[in-house]
Amino acid sequence: MYEYEKDGAEIYRQSFATIRAEADLAGLPEDLARVVVRMIHACGQVDLVADVLASDGVVAGARAALDAGAPVLCDAQMVASGVTRRRLPKDNDVVCTLNDPRVPALAADLGTTRTAAALELWRDRLDGAVVAIGNAPTALFHLLEMVAAGAPRPAAVLGVPVGFIGAAESKEALAASDLPFLVVRGRRGGSAMTAAAVNAIASDVE
Ligand SMILES: C/C1=C2N=C(/C=C3N=C(/C(C)=C4\N[C@@](C)([C@@H]5N=C1[C@](C)(CCC(=O)O)[C@H]5CC(=O)O)[C@@](C)(CC(=O)O)[C@@H]4CCC(=O)O)[C@@](C)(CC(=O)O)[C@@H]\3CCC(=O)O)C(C)(C)[C@@H]/2CCC(=O)O
């Protein structure tokens, strides 16, 4: 009844070719360009590239951490669910503590959101980890507060929360910090885009 592409590999090939033809990736190092292509693939917006900001070597640093077996620490279950486990080079743990039964009480004690409070349960896994924040601005702010107060430093922070309240500000704060980072400036972000960034970093092929 309808004429449409049914070959998954061909759909991917055409998508990535379209993104590379339409997005202005000039000036990005190739490893970062590959990550941005996949983030664009997750949101359908080729102008995303203009809002991407990353510290030097963040993609290589995150990949080296994964190769060394580092966990991927996610703010939301949606981010964790989007990470393709078979791409991960060392069967790395993908961790989201949001639904841990201790979190509601922690959030009440700290006077913050559950997503932010859930990061308190990352402390023993934070050292050298790849952090993927795709939903909650409060989680990203709380991570920065924890590290500033002496918590272990992650190898890379993919800071891509979405929204209107605190999202842009939390990402500017990350970019101004001394942590290796990748952000999408402004309101855009989200779990799908963040999981896509992890998947691109974990993968050797587009
Ligand atoms: C204020 C919050 C925002 N949530 C956004 C967008 C989406 N959130 C979805 C879902 C299913 C979840 N959001 C929570 C993380 C929940 N969202 C919040 C909080 C109230 C506070 C976070 C913050 O401001 O930093 C947060 C609850 C908390 O106490 O931390 C979630 C845990 C709520 C819940 O279901 O209990 C849940 C995450 C579940 C999981 O994956 O583990 C959406 C799907 C929206 C929906 O349900 O309709 C959507 C997903 C976006 C995405 O791509 O991830 C915003 C826009 C980020 C917003 C914060 C900023 C704003 O401007 O409002």
Side-chain angles (χ1 to χ4, degrees):
M1 184 174 172
Y2 299 105
E3 198 54 44
Y4 60 97
E5 183 58 62
K6 301 184 186 75
D7 177 343
E10 179 56 18
I11 291 168
Y12 264 60
R13 193 197 64 72
Q14 286 183 28
S15 285
F16 290 130
T18 304
I19 293 165
R20 285 200 175 264
E22 293 185 10
D24 182 8
L25 300 165
L28 295 185
E30 182 48 35
D31 62 350
L32 180 59
R34 213 164 49 77
V35 173
V36 174
V37 164
R38 220 167 167 104
M39 293 169 78
I40 291 171
H41 188 236
C43 70
Q45 297 162 355
V46 293
D47 67 332
L48 189 80
V49 62
D51 293 335
V52 172
L53 188 64
S55 56
D56 287 347
V58 66
V59 174
R63 177 56 197 246
L66 294 179
D67 285 338
V72 182
L73 306 180
C74 307
D75 65 330
Q77 202 54 52
M78 287 180 291
V79 179
S81 298
V83 174
T84 310
R85 301 313 197 260
R86 68 182 148 72
R87 288 176 185 272
L88 295 169
K90 285 288 185 312
D91 197 20
N92 310 64
D93 286 342
V94 180
V95 176
C96 175
T97 49
L98 179 58
N99 293 321
D100 185 288
R102 292 168 288 179
V103 165
L106 267 174
D109 282 355
L110 296 171
T112 190
T113 65
R114 286 178 294 125
T115 28
L119 272 60
E120 291 294 325
L121 305 178
W122 291 3
R123 285 182 184 274
D124 61 344
R125 311 203 66 176
L126 205 45
D127 192 16
V130 174
V131 170
I133 294 185
N135 181 302
T138 56
L140 183 49
F141 275 128
H142 194 63
L143 175 74
L144 296 173
E145 289 167 349
M146 284 169 59
V147 171
R153 291 168 62 85
V157 182
L158 311 177
V160 199
V162 60
F164 300 89
I165 311 300
E169 294 85 348
S170 65
K171 291 180 281 191
E172 292 303 324
L174 171 60
S177 78
D178 63 353
L179 290 170
F181 71 91
L182 185 157
V183 299
V184 174
R185 301 178 100 160
R187 293 170 169 177
R188 287 193 286 189
S191 295
M193 215 188 272
T194 308
V198 175
N199 291 338
I201 290 166
S203 180
D204 294 320
V205 292
E206 194 157 85

